[in-house]
Each structure stands twice: as C-alpha cells, then as structure tokens.
Amino acid sequence: MAKQTHRIGILGTGNIFGRYVTGLARHPELRIVRVGDIDVARAEEAAAEHGIPAWGDDAELYADDSVEILVNLTPPVHHARTVVAALDAGKHVYVEKPLGTTVEEGRTVLDAAARTGRLLGSAPDTFLGSASQTLRKAIDAGAIGTPIGASAFIGHSKAETWHPNPAFLFQEGGGPVMDMGPYYFAILVNALGPIRSVSAATRIGAPRRTVTAPDRTVDAVDVTVPTHAAAVLTFASGVIGTTQMSFDVWDTDLPAMEVYGTEGTLSLPNPNHFDGDVRLRRHGDGDWTTLEPAVELFGAVGTREQARRGLGVRDLATAVEGGPHRADASFAFHVLEALCAVEDASRSQRTVLLDSSCKRPEPRLSA
C-alpha cells in the first residue's frame, strides 16, 4: 500500500476523467495537483469543477516539476506520443488502455521507459479488483483442478444510444477488440499466464451506425475497423481460450467469462467491473457456490462506483515506493500484442505466434 504522498497530474479531460478523479479520491495519498489538455478552457473548467489547483496545456503539465506521476487519459491514437513526452519530462506514467494502437507503438513506449528509468503502467486495472483476484486465488488453490479452457464474450455497449459522438469506437484504436478486449485479455493473462498464439477471423458488421443519443453531436458514424471478431488463444500453459468480441451483438445470454478445469468451472462477472460474484461449480455439485472475495471491494456492485478508476495508479505509486508493480508495461505490452494479433491472424489467415511474454502479476492478498 502506498504510504507516501504522490503528486498526480492528469492529461486529458474526456469522458473518463471524472471517473479517475472520484476513484483517486479514495486514496488521500494520491493528490491531483494539475490537469492538462490541449483545450486549455476545458482544463480550467475541469480544475474548477473538481478543486484541482493548477491547469494548462499539455506542455505546461510536462514542465511542472511538482508532478511526479502523470495519468494519461488522451485518446488511444495519441498514447505513444504523449507517453514518450511525459517519460522524457521525468514523470512516471500511467496510461489508459491500450498501451498503444500497434505493437510498434508499444515497443516505442517500452524503449522510452527503459531509456528514462521511469516507471510505466497501463490500464486496464480491473484485474486488480476483487472479482479477478478471487478467480486467480481459486485457480491457484486448485479449485477446478488443472485449467483446460476458457471462454470470453463481449457484447455491444449500445454506445450509439448514449454517447454523443461514438465515432472513436468505430475507427483506428477502437472496435470491440481494442476497446473492450483489454479488460478480458488482462484478466485471462492474470489468471492463466501468458498467451503463446492467436488465430482469428474478423469482419465489419453494419458499415455505418446511426447515433440516437439524446445529446448527440453527430447523426451517424462510419465504421473503419472490424466490429465482430472470433479468436482462439493458446496459452503457454496449454489452456485454450475461445473469445467473441462484437459491437454487432446487442443482446445475449452468454456468460462474460468462464474458466474450465479438470474438476470444475469458475464463472466471472463483467471484466469491465472490479467486483461481483465469482461462482464455482465442481463436477458433481448440485449448484453453483459463490466464493468469498479475496480482497476488499473497490465499490458497491451494481452502482456507478464500478465505473470509477484508480487502482492502477495506486499500483504504480506503490511500485514507486519499491512495492510490486502488477499493471506494468511488460504486462500491458503482452496484452496489446495479443490484441493486435487478432486482426493480424484474421488478415493473414494464419496462426500468429507472439514474440512477447510476461510474468503473471503477483496476487493482491491484502489492501
């Protein structure tokens, strides 16, 4: 647990900004001291709304020597450039997912972190929550015997009905694989270890989406990335994962994620949430058993608290003090390479062997 006070600067004031502010407020040792945005007026407005003492553009944030950790909430297409700039400015950096939009961008930011000696962490951080940690504890304890397979299903958030301009979800850096896939892949890697290979097929469903959100700023968006993907992940352990990621599936009864072993099944709630019931059913059991959470809840299940963020920033702050760094850059890069391999495998019609690997993050056994 981080015990020192860490001064935080946040770059980007988009949709997820408020979720980080409310999440970080749970940890008084993490003090937000500056917000930066290329739109300075937006930065000033955000600072006033949340009581943040300083604001300005991105350059002013990089130049502020009082900022120790920079939390990067820019759109994915800007991640690589802004992460490198922040690292070069001497900041430790925590960036929203994904680490980059391509494997090459991922390698660029890894090289920058190594060159500068700064720590780099990346979302998603939901694998640090009680649900994923409970899954991990059960697997490690042998609750389902030897893991054999896993399934993960991503349906559409129906963003056209509530987001004023969801275009970014259907363009480079978006799509169900890069937008929602990181949550699922991170939890699978945390639970089952690194992925060895990926095979997949992808397609675009509806090529143009009508936007019906009441406060919409656009009436329709064009689709330039695949919106339906099916992939098979082969883990280094031999576990075989089956995934479906789709912005064309609006309604489904499929489970979000399950892990199958020689002696039973584990069922996980929405991987985009920190908490929720993890259920176990061993061979021969008459019904499912809900497991006790392995760590404290991040927020109340079924409420807006599950949308807030911040555990990953706290994880980075702990690492700055010499503690374990779970959501680190090597873990995030491996997840990014696996995500990029989905489209690569589909395009080339071959199984893609991953170049990277990573250690399974240390489990969170306490606060």
Side-chain angles (χ1 to χ4, degrees):
M1 176 177 179
K3 296 180 176 62
Q4 302 173 8
T5 297
H6 298 274
R7 296 168 65 88
I8 310 295
I10 300 182
L11 177 63
T13 57
N15 181 58
I16 204 170
F17 173 80
R19 302 183 193 182
Y20 271 88
V21 172
T22 56
L24 293 175
R26 300 180 73 246
H27 308 292
E29 71 275 13
L30 305 179
R31 292 180 51 206
I32 305 173
V33 297
R34 177 179 282 274
V35 56
D37 199 288
I38 57 173
D39 185 338
V40 176
R42 285 186 61 176
E44 182 177 7
E45 181 181 353
E49 180 180 355
H50 296 284
I52 299 170
W55 66 90
D57 63 19
D58 51 345
E60 290 173 292
L61 177 53
Y62 300 142
D64 189 339
D65 290 335
S66 72
V67 172
E68 177 191 11
I69 297 173
L70 186 145
V71 178
N72 188 334
L73 308 183
T74 60
V77 293
H78 301 302
H79 282 181
R81 173 181 59 81
T82 52
V83 166
V84 171
L87 291 168
D88 283 339
K91 317 300 184 190
H92 302 295
V93 178
Y94 182 83
V95 62
E96 246 304 317
K97 53 83 184 170
L99 187 64
T101 60
T102 65
V103 172
E104 290 72 22
E105 286 186 353
R107 290 196 179 100
T108 296
V109 298
L110 286 182
D111 290 346
R115 183 185 73 249
T116 60
R118 301 290 88 185
L119 293 183
L120 173 60
S122 177
D125 58 356
T126 50
F127 80 91
L128 299 173
S130 71
S132 182
Q133 292 297 310
T134 302
L135 174 73
R136 167 74 178 267
K137 181 179 179 181
I139 290 173
D140 289 352
I144 59 171
T146 302
I148 300 298
S151 62
F153 300 102
I154 299 172
H156 191 25
S157 68
K158 306 179 183 180
E160 297 96 314
T161 67
W162 54 265
H163 198 290
N165 184 1
F168 70 100
L169 291 172
F170 301 96
Q171 298 170 355
E172 181 185 359
V177 175
M178 298 302 286
D179 179 56
M180 293 300 297
Y183 299 105
Y184 289 69
F185 279 41
I187 285 177
L188 288 170
V189 172
N190 177 64
L192 300 169
I195 298 166
R196 186 175 65 220
S197 65
V198 176
S199 58
T202 67
R203 61 164 291 178
I204 290 176
R208 187 170 175 80
R209 303 292 180 113
T210 300
V211 180
T212 60
D215 57 345
R216 62 186 177 277
T217 58
V218 296
D219 292 322
V221 296
D222 292 322
V223 180
T224 60
V225 294
T227 53
H228 190 87
V232 174
L233 316 177
T234 301
F235 291 78
S237 65
V239 174
I240 298 173
T242 305
T243 64
Q244 176 179 286
M245 298 165 277
S246 183
F247 284 171
D248 295 293
V249 175
W250 282 53
D251 300 288
T252 177
D253 287 327
L254 291 170
M257 183 179 292
E258 292 181 338
V259 180
Y260 314 107
T262 55
E263 298 176 20
T265 297
L266 284 158
S267 180
L268 194 75
N270 187 346
N272 192 19
H273 295 169
F274 290 93
D275 310 299
D277 288 345
V278 176
R279 300 181 301 146
L280 166 67
R281 189 165 183 173
R282 291 174 57 83
H283 297 344
D285 287 352
D287 207 346
W288 294 89
T289 298
T290 299
L291 302 180
E292 288 293 323
V295 296
E296 79 287 349
L297 303 189
F298 187 63
V301 178
T303 73
R304 288 289 297 169
E305 291 180 351
Q306 289 297 308
R308 63 191 180 188
R309 294 292 184 258
L311 276 184
V313 181
R314 186 181 184 221
D315 177 67
L316 175 60
T318 302
V320 169
E321 297 176 17
H325 193 188
R326 299 175 178 90
D328 68 4
S330 63
F331 179 86
F333 178 78
H334 182 66
V335 169
L336 172 64
E337 187 185 11
L339 292 167
C340 291
V342 173
E343 179 58 16
D344 186 10
S346 175
R347 187 185 306 111
S348 63
Q349 296 186 341
R350 64 181 178 88
T351 297
V352 174
L353 297 178
L354 302 191
D355 291 328
S356 69
S357 185
C358 69
K359 295 180 180 179
R360 291 174 79 207
E362 291 187 27
R364 288 183 63 220
L365 300 179
S366 63

